[in-house]
């Protein structure tokens, strides 16, 4: 199967059902008492039938609710810029600015980060930043993780998770006041600092609407100012959502437009307009198997969270989300689960770190989707093998295209392996957390091929790693073959063979990797093969290195013959590493943990010179006893 990254076609936009108007009293600029809020639906368990994890996305799965000619005209007119108040009530009195409902948040937050906020500082990936020292205007750039948290207001979820609203509201109002003073009105167009990227703006509006009681329970003047800013931000997104920095940012912007259409007065035209745009944006974000085209598990989680929060907004107004939104949520979950290890935490791929299993489980629980991990995520490009207590993850696709990459990594043909929930072989991961305890200067190095458990030639990346998360030339094609082998002892094994062309242009060599994992999970056999790309091999030799970054709790000791190592896991299991490709050495490494913090680890390295005519290097990881 010849596999390469390509975007899925834009999904056909359709329309929706009539907006059920109701007499819903909400938060106004003059009063914000609990009894004035439309009480949310009784918290309900979202029952979604168990889905087929191997089913590919089909265009027939996506369509907005059908509408009649009148609503199509309203959507068209709103797109042209006619105000929603004119379309909703052309001769009526303009509604005052207020919220029509309160949203029940089902997404998990981090209580520790919320407690830190109440103590006076942001806590992001282990790094503390005093609230008073943050430049909310954005001219003096802060670290990317802090920018995202501050300007998206995602910290509201953490604040809500750490205690009752009455305790968190003063902190929320303090930060909100400082932010509004630094950003009194939207700029003429996006790009005027991180506060007004479409992605951050969309996420911010969603969080304001979802956590309204935290920011609208204080002084009347601040309530009025905040509600006016919410309305103005929604209008700004109406005009500029088409200038989003990438597909995920576009989904954030369109989701916020739909949420504003649901929760602000006279929002029917905006909702009709936003639902059509959202469906199209989702079609451009995800591939046929439900994986986002950036190939990032962090982006996958962010997309799921956006849609779950939007669904909560529908439920707050006593509506069901469109079937297309529910279908996308169903499609996004199985690929994410494909990158989980035995403890539920994520593998370290495409800028992500080993996100804790509790965070992943809480997010999946919020979706209501019950499904199994995908075994072969074809277009997303990750192979998963579950063998008793062992799990193998294998990257068998090119890095994301530059248009999709946020933290693109040259990780093709890297693998991770865990046993009983303990990581044995890992990738360094965590480039997206650079700016917390991971220094920003390490971000580019963590995206390099050498930061992944695979082969490198001449210390070069298989795909060029550029600044600002971008990816250059290199791997463009990956050939892959997966099959089940019957072994002599009667057991089975999974064999995956993949090759990439990332080193062909520079060194005239194709890298092929073969992995064979026994079904009892006790043995992984590997072979790295370098094959001349043309009919004639190049003369001379080139340096190679095969790296096996070890998990944080692996105790390792090299063997006396220099051809292997013994490894012990926390569960007491002993493993042996053997190489037929040369001497095995032990070097320092780095692994980014579930909170985005760096941990000192070690790596096994096989290195030497190989003829330009090709070569092959075998190795073995085997459980002892």
């Amino acid at each position: 199967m010849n596999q390469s990254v390509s975007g899925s076609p834009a999904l056909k936009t359709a329309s929706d059902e009539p907006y059920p108007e109701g007499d819903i009293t909400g938060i106004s600029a003059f009063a914000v008492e609990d009894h004035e809020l439309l009480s949310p639906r009784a918290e309900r368990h979202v029952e979604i039938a168990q889905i087929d994890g191997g089913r590919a996305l089909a265009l027939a799965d996506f369509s907005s609710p059908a509408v009649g000619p009148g609503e199509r005209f309203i959507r068209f007119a709103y797109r042209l810029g006619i105000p929603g108040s004119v379309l909703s009530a052309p001769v009526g009195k303009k509604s005052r600015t207020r919220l029509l409902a309160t949203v029940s948040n089902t997404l998990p937050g981090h209580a520790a980060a919320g407690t830190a906020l109440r103590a006076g500082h942001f806590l992001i990936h282990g790094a503390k930043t005093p609230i008073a020292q943050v430049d909310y205007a954005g001219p003096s750039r802060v670290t990317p993780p802090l920018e995202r948290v501050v300007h998206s207001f995602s910290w509201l979820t953490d604040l809500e998770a750490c205690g009752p609203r009455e305790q968190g509201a003063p902190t929320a109002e303090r930060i909100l006041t400082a932010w509004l003073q630094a950003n009194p009105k939207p700029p003429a167009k996006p790009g005027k600092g991180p506060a007004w990227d479409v992605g951050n703006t969309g996420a911010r509006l969603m969080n304001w609407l979802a956590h309204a009681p935290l920011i609208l329970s204080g002084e009347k003047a601040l309530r009025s100012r905040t509600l006016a800013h919410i309305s103005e931000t929604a209008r700004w997104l109406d005009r500029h959502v088409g200038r989003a920095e990438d597909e995920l940012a576009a989904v954030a912007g369109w989701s916020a437009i739909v949420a504003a259409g649901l929760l602000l007065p006279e929002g029917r035209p905006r909702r009709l307009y936003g639902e059509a745009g959202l469906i199209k944006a989702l079609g451009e974000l995800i591939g046929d198997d439900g994986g986002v085209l950036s190939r990032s598990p962090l982006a996958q989680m962010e997309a799921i969270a956006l849609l779950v929060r939007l669904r909560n907004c529908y439920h707050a107004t006593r509506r069901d989300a469109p079937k297309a939104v529910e279908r996308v949520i169903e499609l996004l979950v199985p690929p994410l689960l494909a990158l989980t290890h035995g403890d539920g935490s994520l593998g370290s791929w495409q800028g992500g770190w080993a996100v804790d299993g509790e965070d992943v489980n809480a997010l999946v629980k919020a979706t209501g989707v019950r499904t199994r991990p995908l075994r072969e995520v074809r277009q997303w490009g990750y192979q998963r093998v579950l063998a008793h207590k062992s799990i193998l993850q294998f990257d068998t696709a090119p890095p994301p295209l530059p248009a999709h990459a946020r933290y693109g990594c040259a990780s093709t043909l890297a693998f991770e392996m865990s046993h009983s929930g303990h990581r044995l072989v890992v990738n360094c991961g965590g480039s997206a957390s650079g700016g917390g305890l991971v220094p920003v200067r390490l971000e580019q190095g963590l995206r390099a091929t050498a930061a992944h458990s695979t082969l490198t030639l001449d210390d070069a990346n298989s795909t060029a790693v550029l600044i600002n998360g971008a990816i250059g030339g290199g791997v463009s094609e990956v050939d892959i073959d997966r099959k089940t082998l019957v072994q002599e002892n009667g057991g089975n094994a999974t064999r995956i063979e993949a090759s990439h062309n990332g080193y062909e242009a520079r060194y005239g060599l194709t890298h092929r990797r073969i992995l064979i994992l026994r079904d009892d999970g006790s043995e992984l056999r590997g072979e790295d093969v370098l094959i001349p790309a043309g009919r004639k091999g190049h003369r001379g030799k080139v340096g190679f290195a095969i790296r096996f970054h070890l998990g944080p709790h692996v105790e390792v000791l090299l063997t006396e013959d220099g051809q292997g190592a013994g490894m012990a896991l926390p569960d007491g299991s002993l493993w042996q590493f053997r190489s037929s490709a040369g001497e095995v050495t032990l070097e320092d490494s780095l692994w980014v943990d579930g909170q985005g913090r760096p941990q000192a680890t070690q790596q096994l390295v096989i290195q030497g010179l190989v003829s330009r005519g090709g070569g092959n290097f075998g190795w073995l990881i085997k459980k002892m006893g």
Side-chain angles (χ1 to χ4, degrees):
M1 177 176 63
N2 190 19
Q3 184 174 2
S4 61
V5 168
S6 62
S8 61
L11 300 176
K12 181 180 179 182
T13 59
S15 46
D16 47 14
E17 296 173 353
Y19 184 96
E21 300 293 344
D23 183 14
I24 303 174
T25 305
I27 302 175
S28 72
F30 310 99
V32 60
E33 301 296 333
D34 285 344
H35 67 269
E36 289 187 347
L37 297 174
L38 170 67
S39 57
R41 289 180 169 184
E43 188 171 343
R44 66 183 195 178
H45 179 69
V46 183
E47 290 289 349
I48 298 178
Q50 183 165 326
I51 63 174
D52 176 8
R55 186 172 183 271
L57 180 152
L59 293 179
D61 293 323
F62 294 85
S63 62
S64 300
V67 298
E71 277 129 347
R72 283 198 295 271
F73 172 76
I74 290 174
R75 172 185 291 161
F76 176 74
Y78 192 80
R79 187 184 297 121
L80 293 179
I82 298 176
S85 57
V86 174
L87 295 171
S88 296
V91 295
K93 182 180 178 182
K94 184 178 179 180
S95 300
R96 71 183 189 276
T97 303
R98 60 197 177 101
L99 297 189
L100 302 179
T102 182
V103 179
S104 177
N105 179 47
T106 61
L107 291 168
H110 290 99
T115 302
L117 282 167
R118 290 169 55 188
H121 54 259
F122 291 97
L123 177 64
I124 302 172
H125 304 321
K128 294 182 179 180
T129 304
I131 292 174
Q133 294 181 12
V134 174
D135 179 9
Y136 298 97
S140 57
R141 299 297 293 266
V142 297
T143 62
L146 182 60
E147 279 184 353
R148 289 192 296 272
V149 170
V150 168
H151 295 301
S152 70
F153 276 67
S154 62
W155 51 267
L156 284 172
T157 306
D158 300 328
L159 199 59
E160 185 180 88
C162 78
R165 182 212 310 171
E166 295 75 17
Q167 297 178 6
T171 300
E173 292 168 2
R174 173 190 171 191
I175 301 174
L176 174 64
T177 299
W179 192 92
L180 290 175
Q181 288 175 347
N183 300 275
K185 61 180 182 178
K189 58 183 179 180
K192 301 296 183 180
W196 294 100
D197 291 341
V198 170
N200 283 339
T201 304
R204 178 170 65 250
L205 181 56
M206 289 284 285
N207 283 309
W208 280 348
L209 295 172
H211 300 285
L214 270 177
I215 59 175
L216 294 175
S217 299
E219 298 178 356
K220 178 179 177 181
L222 179 59
R223 291 199 305 270
S224 178
R225 184 180 180 187
T226 302
L227 285 165
H229 211 290
I230 287 173
S231 180
E232 196 170 3
T233 300
R235 290 194 298 271
W236 186 88
L237 279 174
D238 289 341
R239 297 191 302 270
H240 299 298
V241 67
R243 299 184 181 183
E245 49 273 21
D246 58 27
E247 288 82 1
L248 185 58
V251 169
W254 285 111
S255 297
I257 288 172
V258 176
L262 289 164
L263 297 171
L264 294 179
E266 300 167 344
R268 181 186 180 192
R270 173 177 282 137
R271 180 177 63 84
L272 292 169
Y273 165 69
E275 285 176 342
L278 176 61
I279 297 304
K280 182 176 184 294
L282 288 171
E284 295 172 347
L285 173 71
I286 63 179
D288 291 344
D289 46 32
V292 296
L293 296 182
S294 67
R295 303 193 63 229
S296 166
L298 295 181
Q300 194 86 359
M301 293 183 70
E302 187 175 341
I304 293 171
L306 281 169
L307 295 182
V308 169
R309 182 165 280 122
L310 178 60
R311 184 172 67 186
N312 292 341
C313 293
Y314 276 99
H315 291 172
T317 56
R318 305 188 187 281
R319 295 180 179 84
D320 290 324
K323 291 181 180 179
V325 172
E326 295 287 8
R327 179 60 185 149
V328 172
I329 294 174
E330 293 175 10
L331 285 166
L332 287 169
V333 173
L336 179 68
L337 294 178
L339 295 185
T340 55
H341 285 285
D343 60 353
S345 60
L346 289 179
S348 302
W349 302 103
Q350 293 300 320
W353 53 88
V355 177
D356 285 344
E358 291 182 2
D359 295 335
V360 178
N361 292 337
L363 178 62
V364 173
K365 182 179 179 181
T367 68
V369 175
R370 296 174 296 175
T371 185
R372 295 178 180 178
L374 281 187
R375 189 183 68 163
E376 299 179 66
V377 189
R378 294 169 295 277
Q379 189 172 10
W380 210 28
Y382 299 104
Q383 296 287 320
R384 173 190 174 90
V385 182
L386 174 61
H388 195 47
K389 295 182 180 181
S390 297
I391 292 177
L392 174 70
Q393 299 175 7
F394 190 20
D395 183 354
T396 56
L401 295 175
H404 306 303
R406 283 193 168 186
Y407 296 93
C409 297
S411 60
T412 308
L413 300 196
F415 79 96
E416 289 199 349
M417 181 180 180
S418 63
H419 177 76
S420 295
H422 301 291
R423 293 168 190 251
L424 185 58
V425 178
V426 299
N427 301 308
C428 295
S431 60
S433 68
L437 291 183
V438 174
V440 174
R441 66 180 181 274
L442 293 184
E443 179 261 339
Q444 201 156 350
L446 292 173
R447 297 166 53 214
T449 304
H452 298 80
S453 292
T454 187
L455 175 145
T456 60
L457 287 180
D458 199 25
D459 290 329
N461 293 319
S462 57
T463 299
V465 173
L466 309 178
I467 61 173
N468 297 325
I471 282 290
V475 178
S476 60
E477 283 190 355
V478 175
D479 294 324
I480 177 173
D481 179 70
R482 176 170 176 155
K483 63 181 64 174
T484 299
L485 303 178
V486 179
Q487 298 191 309
E488 295 179 357
N489 61 4
N492 292 334
T494 300
R495 181 186 187 273
I496 306 176
E497 177 180 342
S499 63
H500 74 70
N501 63 346
Y503 290 120
E504 288 184 4
R506 285 168 288 177
Y507 306 107
L509 293 169
T510 297
H511 176 208
R512 176 179 296 166
R513 169 164 273 187
I514 302 169
L515 300 180
I516 302 174
L517 179 63
R518 288 177 50 166
D519 280 2
D520 62 4
S522 65
E523 180 181 289
L524 175 66
R525 289 186 177 272
E527 184 177 14
D528 288 288
V529 185
L530 294 171
I531 305 169
R535 293 185 178 180
K536 286 187 177 181
H538 293 260
R539 292 183 178 180
K541 294 187 176 182
V542 62
F544 76 93
I546 308 174
R547 302 180 184 275
F548 303 83
H549 298 273
L550 302 179
H553 303 298
V554 176
E555 297 182 9
V556 59
L557 182 65
L558 296 177
T559 57
E560 293 183 359
D561 63 3
Q563 302 299 304
M567 299 174 290
L569 292 181
D571 65 354
S573 62
L574 300 177
W575 295 74
Q576 184 183 44
F577 178 86
R578 296 297 295 175
S579 165
S580 63
E583 183 182 3
V584 178
T585 60
L586 191 61
E587 298 181 6
D588 291 335
S589 184
L590 176 73
W591 178 75
V592 181
D593 71 10
Q595 301 301 317
R597 302 168 301 193
Q599 306 291 334
T601 57
Q602 294 177 297
Q603 59 177 310
L604 297 173
V605 184
I606 306 168
Q607 55 189 330
L609 294 174
V610 63
S611 167
R612 299 270 184 129
N616 64 296
F617 317 100
W619 46 268
L620 170 71
I621 299 175
K622 185 175 182 178
K623 186 173 182 288
M624 307 303 294

